[in-house]
Amino acid sequence: ELRILAMSATLDAAGLAERLGVRPIVSEGRAHPVETRHLARPWRRDHRRLEDAVAALALEALAASAGSALAFLPGVGEISRTLAALEGRLPAGVEARPIHGAMPLAAQRAALAPAAAGRRKLVLATAIAETSLTVEGVAAVVDAGLARRARFDPGSGMTRLVTEPVSRAEAEQRRGRAGRLGPGLCLRLWTKGEEGALPLRPPPEILTADLAPLALELAVWGAGPESLTFLDPPPEVALAEARALLAALEALDADGRPTAHGRRMAALPAHPRLAHMLLRAAETGEDPALACELAAILE
């Protein structure tokens, strides 16, 4: 027997349950009250750089709370610059710790570990800490209000990361990190008026992503998108562009079926463009090591 449990704190559960023909199970959990504070005016009026604004708000959170604090930033670069902006400014007994997915596991565990007796932590995190992690001792959250998402760039034919405002669902998840262990405080780096412009949920990735990997997988499976029940169907224009790319890469034949080259491409854990480059470099012997380095950089 096979049982599948689809879990998410921000998913449109009602829509998914309707498509699957099942009844959703809701777990509210136990959350303590969290006081939420917004900026009186946009942060750019007082700070030129995001890291300066987040550093100022983090210091405010530490002053207003007796526990540790968790600050959400969009990426590793912003975390590093915020750490630099806080250097020499943290209260006595407070240590700053970054956490993101690229860190070694030991360093991530150190950031999550409870602070030593009589000490506090300021954890600077990416969205990795939104739902999956509990940082011990956190009583305050600082939310920069930004997220980094993958977006397909038709100009380069590759996916790139863009920074954009969080959705209200994501902001609420971040706010909840302050109320896991007791009453908490959430400081948001936006005004109450700006909050109304935030989208309700993050956009479905399938509507903005490069569909070439999906189109190749479907071809290898021998299934068309119309035979599958997508929560959000892939846009037809984007799927047609993806198939045209795969045909140009000799991954699909004139009937849309995968070629032998296409099947080898699908077996590689890389974008079809990069898989094509790697295979052709290996076949021709034209510096396959360089092709591997280029694929690693572009990926």
Side-chain angles (χ1 to χ4, degrees):
E1 293 184 0
L2 174 65
R3 294 184 179 184
I4 299 176
L5 180 64
M7 301 198 312
S8 173
T10 58
L11 184 71
D12 178 13
L16 179 59
E18 183 180 353
R19 294 293 184 95
L20 294 177
V22 299
R23 179 178 59 87
I25 300 173
V26 178
S27 174
E28 297 293 349
R30 291 178 295 177
H32 297 274
V34 176
E35 178 189 356
T36 305
R37 299 179 188 174
H38 297 80
L39 295 182
R41 59 183 186 176
W43 64 266
R44 290 178 181 82
R45 295 187 182 181
D46 301 307
H47 305 278
R48 289 191 303 170
R49 303 186 305 170
L50 173 69
E51 49 267 29
D52 293 331
V54 174
L57 211 58
L59 294 174
E60 181 182 338
L62 290 169
S65 171
S68 296
L70 170 63
F72 285 97
L73 290 129
V76 178
E78 289 84 357
I79 288 177
S80 299
R81 291 191 292 273
T82 302
L83 284 171
L86 286 166
E87 191 170 355
R89 301 172 62 191
L90 290 173
V94 176
E95 60 178 335
R97 292 276 188 147
I99 182 168
H100 50 81
M103 290 173 55
L105 183 59
Q108 293 187 37
R109 287 176 173 168
L112 296 174
R119 297 185 64 84
R120 296 190 291 164
K121 292 190 302 182
L122 169 61
V123 180
L124 306 175
T126 59
I128 189 176
E130 269 182 26
T131 58
S132 58
L133 304 174
T134 295
V135 183
E136 293 291 335
V138 165
V141 162
V142 173
D143 189 356
L146 297 171
R148 192 149 288 152
R149 311 191 199 280
R151 289 287 182 270
F152 178 57
D153 180 8
S156 65
M158 297 295 291
T159 297
R160 62 188 179 91
L161 294 175
V162 298
T163 304
E164 58 189 31
V166 295
S167 67
R168 276 177 275 177
E170 290 168 308
E172 191 60 24
Q173 278 300 113
R174 296 179 178 190
R175 175 181 176 273
R177 301 311 94 197
R180 279 196 166 183
L181 305 175
L185 171 67
C186 176
L187 303 183
R188 289 176 167 172
L189 196 67
W190 63 87
T191 66
K192 188 67 175 176
E194 291 176 300
E195 190 160 294
L198 297 179
L200 183 60
R201 292 186 179 86
E205 186 176 349
I206 198 170
L207 301 183
T208 58
D210 178 6
L211 298 186
L214 173 63
L216 182 57
E217 278 195 73
L218 290 175
V220 171
W221 289 349
E226 67 283 348
S227 65
L228 301 176
T229 303
F230 287 95
L231 185 59
D232 296 284
E236 292 184 8
V237 173
L239 201 56
E241 291 180 353
R243 288 170 175 152
L245 169 65
L246 294 174
L249 297 177
E250 301 176 6
L252 301 180
D253 61 20
D255 296 320
R257 291 190 295 262
T259 62
H261 180 61
R263 292 186 181 277
R264 289 193 295 271
M265 287 169 55
L268 292 179
H271 186 278
R273 286 180 183 269
L274 302 181
H276 174 74
M277 176 182 68
L278 292 168
L279 290 171
R280 287 292 185 250
E283 292 167 3
T284 61
E286 294 183 4
D287 206 342
L290 177 59
C292 290
E293 292 177 3
L294 289 172
I297 292 171
L298 292 171
E299 190 70 69

